[in-house]
Amino acid sequence: MNVIDTPISGLKIIEPTLFGDERGFFFESFRDAWFREHVSDVQFVQENQSRSRRGILRGLHYQSSQTQGKLVRVTCGEVFDVAVDLRRESPSYGQWFGTYLSEENKRQLWIPAGFAHGFYVLSETADCIYKCTDYYAPEFEKTILWNDTELSIDWPLNKSSDTDTVQPILSAKDRAGAPFNCREHWL
């Protein structure tokens, strides 16, 4: 596996070593000892899977307590995956990073605790699987507006449509997200 640093400290892309031939392919998607040595010394306690259709945007979500680190990958389809640094003492506080995760590139994104996370679905459907370092705690869940002007995330909204720009499909929770400059987003 290959680890690629991003411009934000601690946030990493992981590329697997792929073994393939005319029969198909094989790759190791996770090995605890390797991950602890080369990426982050954490323990995963929960794994989640979601399926979403084209045009759905989920996020930007985080937990204000019981913060979660997430190892995200896509097993079917393609998403544009985004992490926003909410670590108060970080020099990159308020900065975002986005990358394409797909069944084709087989990349994973390591998002340490202290980040908000979201993704936008570009393919007909997408299955996302993510390991978490703490349990889901709905009482601590927070949402930042996906289109907050201060963050100015460059979502690829026109990539999934023939039109110039589309409006993403949002849940009620995501439509009601708080602006980024709200003090509640400090971790």
Side-chain angles (χ1 to χ4, degrees):
M1 287 189 260
N2 182 35
V3 178
I4 302 168
D5 290 324
T6 70
I8 299 178
S9 176
L11 194 63
K12 299 181 183 297
I13 295 170
I14 301 165
E15 287 183 328
T17 302
L18 194 65
F19 302 94
D21 57 28
E22 68 280 351
R23 299 169 299 152
F25 67 84
F26 169 86
F27 70 93
E28 189 173 87
S29 62
F30 180 78
R31 180 185 291 247
D32 185 67
W34 182 91
F35 191 88
R36 287 175 184 263
E37 180 181 345
H38 298 283
V39 181
S40 184
D41 189 11
V42 296
Q43 178 181 0
F44 294 104
V45 298
Q46 181 175 330
E47 183 173 270
N48 304 310
Q49 181 169 349
S50 70
R51 172 169 288 164
S52 305
R53 62 186 168 90
R54 183 187 316 274
I56 289 181
L57 193 149
R58 296 184 185 264
L60 300 158
H61 303 146
Y62 69 97
Q63 290 183 177
S64 59
S65 191
Q66 289 180 232
T67 57
Q68 296 176 306
K70 295 178 181 177
L71 180 60
V72 184
R73 71 186 182 110
V74 171
T75 58
C76 176
E78 180 181 33
V79 305
F80 183 69
D81 205 82
V82 171
V84 178
D85 192 348
L86 300 179
R87 300 170 297 179
R88 189 178 321 178
E89 303 303 321
S90 172
S92 55
Y93 173 78
Q95 293 179 21
W96 66 273
F97 175 80
T99 191
Y100 293 93
L101 302 178
S102 71
E103 66 181 298
E104 297 299 320
N105 69 25
K106 296 171 183 35
R107 287 179 157 190
Q108 298 179 72
L109 182 63
W110 164 240
I111 305 168
F115 283 76
H117 172 247
F119 62 86
Y120 177 68
V121 180
L122 297 160
S123 51
E124 186 173 327
T125 61
D127 289 355
C128 293
I129 296 175
Y130 53 101
K131 297 178 183 314
C132 300
T133 59
D134 209 335
Y135 297 102
Y136 174 64
E139 66 273 25
F140 300 124
E141 187 173 40
K142 305 283 185 186
T143 302
I144 299 172
L145 280 172
W146 69 276
N147 61 348
D148 182 272
T149 55
E150 187 175 340
L151 293 176
S152 290
I153 296 170
D154 188 16
W155 297 100
L157 298 180
N158 59 348
K159 186 171 181 197
S160 64
S161 171
D162 291 335
T163 62
D164 288 340
T165 302
V166 296
Q167 287 300 310
I169 302 164
L170 304 168
S171 68
K173 173 179 74 174
D174 292 343
R175 279 192 305 273
F180 175 72
N181 63 10
C182 180
R183 284 189 178 271
E184 74 179 43
H185 300 311
W186 288 1
L187 293 179

